[in-house]
Amino acid sequence: SDFWPAWHVASRKLLGIGHTVVYTPEWKVSNPRPRHTAYAVYDPCSSAWLGWQKLEMPDREKFYNSGAGCVQRHDSGDGTILLPLSFRPPGRNDSLVTVARCSFDGQKLRYREHGDELSIDNKTRGLGEPSLTKFKGEFFLTIRNDKQGFVTRSRDGLHFEPIQPWKFDDGTDLGNY
């Protein structure tokens, strides 16, 4: 679900990343639910996507419900991928976001580390659908929330300033839906 393909320059491959979703027979999302970051590589020779795979995370319990659906990643010049993702640790009713540093060899996406775990306590489902970009030497992470959008910045793409409401230049809220 929520699959976003992007060209990975270092490997010269089209890499699509999203997440798995498990539905009940009534087409509702169960909670707690298993969710994983899923990815697939496009094979231009066969004009088809190769079979999807799951990104292996370091702490299966903590990241039991985690995924990179509806996110935009940042690919560094050395091929390293900074992949935003959301996750809901056991015992929490809200989701957090983080950015994982991953390697990609053209076939396998591998977790290497992750940065700050960002959260908010505003009686909502928490934070989700983070996206990352780099502009003038700084990384900017945008984040969805049930009440409003948020943004934060970073020098390295892993460690971020406190989140701030995302606003237009005139100070009005950007909105979220």
Side-chain angles (χ1 to χ4, degrees), residues 1-175:
S1 175
D2 300 332
F3 185 76
W4 287 88
W7 183 251
H8 186 256
V9 173
S11 67
R12 303 182 49 80
K13 299 282 182 150
L14 185 59
L15 171 64
I17 302 176
H19 62 178
T20 61
V21 179
V22 177
Y23 292 101
T24 68
E26 295 80 34
W27 290 100
K28 303 220 184 267
V29 176
S30 61
N31 195 12
R33 62 179 169 145
R35 182 171 54 119
H36 301 89
T37 296
Y39 66 95
V41 179
Y42 182 78
D43 178 19
C45 294
S46 65
S47 296
W49 289 93
L50 301 176
W52 66 274
Q53 301 176 63
K54 293 179 183 177
L55 175 65
E56 295 178 28
M57 297 299 289
D59 183 337
R60 290 178 191 229
E61 183 177 342
K62 180 177 186 174
F63 293 105
Y64 174 76
N65 181 352
S66 69
C70 286
V71 308
Q72 282 77 55
R73 67 183 199 244
H74 175 78
D75 296 355
S76 300
D78 65 359
T80 301
I81 295 172
L82 293 175
L83 181 64
L85 47 89
S86 63
F87 67 103
R88 182 174 292 176
R92 290 193 67 132
N93 292 323
D94 61 334
S95 294
L96 291 71
V97 299
T98 191
V99 175
R101 183 185 313 276
C102 300
S103 61
F104 179 64
D105 63 9
Q107 296 185 353
K108 183 114 177 125
L109 183 67
R110 290 180 176 86
Y111 168 96
R112 297 296 179 215
E113 66 177 323
H114 73 276
D116 295 338
E117 298 175 2
L118 307 174
S119 65
I120 189 166
D121 184 15
N122 68 353
K123 311 287 187 259
T124 64
R125 294 178 296 166
L127 302 175
E129 297 180 359
S131 286
L132 187 69
T133 193
K134 189 174 185 182
F135 180 71
K136 293 187 178 180
E138 288 187 298
F139 290 93
F140 293 88
L141 184 70
T142 60
I143 308 165
R144 283 191 56 178
N145 174 260
D146 290 336
K147 293 183 178 180
Q148 66 186 101
F150 291 94
V151 66
T152 181
R153 69 177 72 206
S154 168
R155 285 281 188 212
D156 65 2
L158 294 174
H159 303 96
F160 290 88
E161 295 176 1
I163 62 173
Q164 301 294 321
W166 197 6
K167 297 182 179 284
F168 287 103
D169 290 343
D170 67 3
T172 58
D173 282 335
L174 183 69

